[in-house]
């Protein structure tokens, strides 16, 4: 099992540090890792994003996957690979960018909103899909899309998901979440970021445990 899929099975929660400055990286990274986060991305429309990504690569332990978000150009994919990061996240479905990431050996979470975009992303080598902006579409929309997608392709919901609504998305079959402004905003203290991250991780673990118990009960009934 690849590191990506091991982390996805364990804790499929992506911390989106939009707007972070390089000087903040070490403290925020430590807080997220301590909370149990396994995926961290710095969107490229942040201040000095490449410096922050390089700092994250050096700071994060080997079991945490670091990458860039809001990747829009193939040139950025090449530069991302050079930093030693492993994850590329996009807000849209661009075949050239997806193929560049695949050729570079990067894991990719590709932004999509429709079945056509989702299948196009899969066709060109996406590792996983990012339903964005998720809250605008809702859980029923996710369920409809998941019903036609290959089960091997994970779908993460990003945009407008609160801790209090994780349960309904989990019940609809989502494979994970990405959290931006709810988790981190520029200048937010690392301690506060860590506290929010712990709440998110705890809720995901609770939902997974509950799901496991329900599946066990269903198997007993079926027998």
């Amino acid at each position: 099992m690849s590191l990506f899929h091991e982390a996805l099975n364990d804790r499929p929660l992506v911390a989106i540090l939009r707007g972070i400055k390089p000087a903040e990286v070490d403290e925020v990274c430590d807080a997220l890792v301590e909370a149990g986060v396994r995926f961290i991305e710095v969107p490229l429309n942040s201040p000095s994003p490449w410096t922050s990504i390089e700092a994250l690569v050096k700071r994060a332990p080997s079991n945490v996957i670091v990458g860039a978000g809001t990747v829009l150009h193939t040139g950025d994919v090449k530069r991302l690979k050079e930093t030693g990061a492993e994850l590329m996240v996009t807000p849209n479905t661009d075949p050239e960018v997806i193929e560049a990431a695949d050729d570079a050996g990067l894991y990719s979470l590709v932004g999509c909103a429709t079945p056509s975009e989702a299948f196009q992303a899969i066709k060109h080598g996406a590792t996983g899909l990012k339903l964005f902006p998720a809250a605008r579409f809702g859980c029923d929309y996710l369920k409809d899309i998941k019903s036609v997608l290959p089960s091997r392709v994970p779908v993460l919901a990003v945009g407008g998901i609160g801790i209090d609504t994780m349960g309904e998305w989990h019940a609809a079959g989502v494979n994970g979440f990405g959290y931006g402004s709810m988790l981190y905003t520029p200048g937010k203290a690392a301690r506060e970021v860590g506290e929010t991250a712990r709440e998110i991780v705890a809720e995901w673990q609770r939902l997974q445990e509950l799901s496991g118990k329900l599946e066990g009960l269903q198997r007993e009934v079926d027998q």
Side-chain angles (χ1 to χ4, degrees), residues 1 21 35 57 75 96-97 131 136 149 177 179 184 217:
M1 184 183 295
K21 295 178 180 178
V57 170
E96 290 185 0
V97 173
L131 178 62
R136 301 290 184 183
L149 293 177
F177 298 96
Y179 284 99
Y184 171 85
L217 289 172

Side-chain angles (χ1 to χ4, degrees), residues 15 32 34 56 76 85 89 121 185 190 198 203 212:
L32 291 170
E34 185 179 350
L56 271 175
D76 291 332
V89 184
T185 52
R198 278 191 291 275
E203 178 63 3

Side-chain angles (χ1 to χ4, degrees), residues 56-80:
L56 271 175
V57 170
K58 292 178 182 178
R59 189 76 174 186
S62 59
N63 69 332
V64 173
I65 297 175
V66 170
T70 317
V71 179
L72 302 174
H73 309 288
T74 56
D76 291 332
V77 176
K78 181 176 182 295
R79 188 166 181 181
L80 180 61

Side-chain angles (χ1 to χ4, degrees), residues 96-195:
E96 290 185 0
V97 173
I98 300 167
E99 289 179 358
D102 191 39
D103 291 343
L106 297 173
Y107 304 116
S108 60
L109 290 175
V110 177
C112 61
T114 67
S116 294
E117 290 176 344
F119 278 106
Q120 185 180 45
I122 294 168
K123 178 181 178 181
H124 290 278
T127 315
L129 304 175
K130 181 182 86 171
L131 178 62
F132 174 80
R136 301 290 184 183
F137 292 94
C139 299
D140 289 341
Y141 188 76
L142 168 75
K143 192 181 299 184
D144 289 344
I145 287 184
K146 289 271 291 183
S147 70
V148 298
L149 293 177
S151 58
R152 61 179 173 80
V153 181
V155 180
L156 278 66
V158 180
I161 311 296
I163 295 175
D164 59 333
T165 57
M166 286 174 69
E168 57 194 80
W169 285 89
H170 189 276
V174 78
N175 300 107
F177 298 96
Y179 284 99
S181 59
M182 193 196 82
L183 174 62
Y184 171 85
T185 52
K188 185 175 181 178
R191 174 184 54 78
E192 295 179 24
V193 175
E195 289 172 357

Side-chain angles (χ1 to χ4, degrees), residues 20-58:
I20 196 168
K21 295 178 180 178
E24 300 175 83
V25 166
D26 285 355
E27 279 192 293
V28 171
C29 177
D30 291 350
L32 291 170
V33 170
E34 185 179 350
V37 172
R38 299 286 303 274
F39 295 89
I40 306 174
E41 67 158 277
V42 175
L44 294 185
N45 55 357
S46 302
S48 304
W50 298 112
T51 304
S52 292
I53 291 168
E54 289 168 356
L56 271 175
V57 170
K58 292 178 182 178

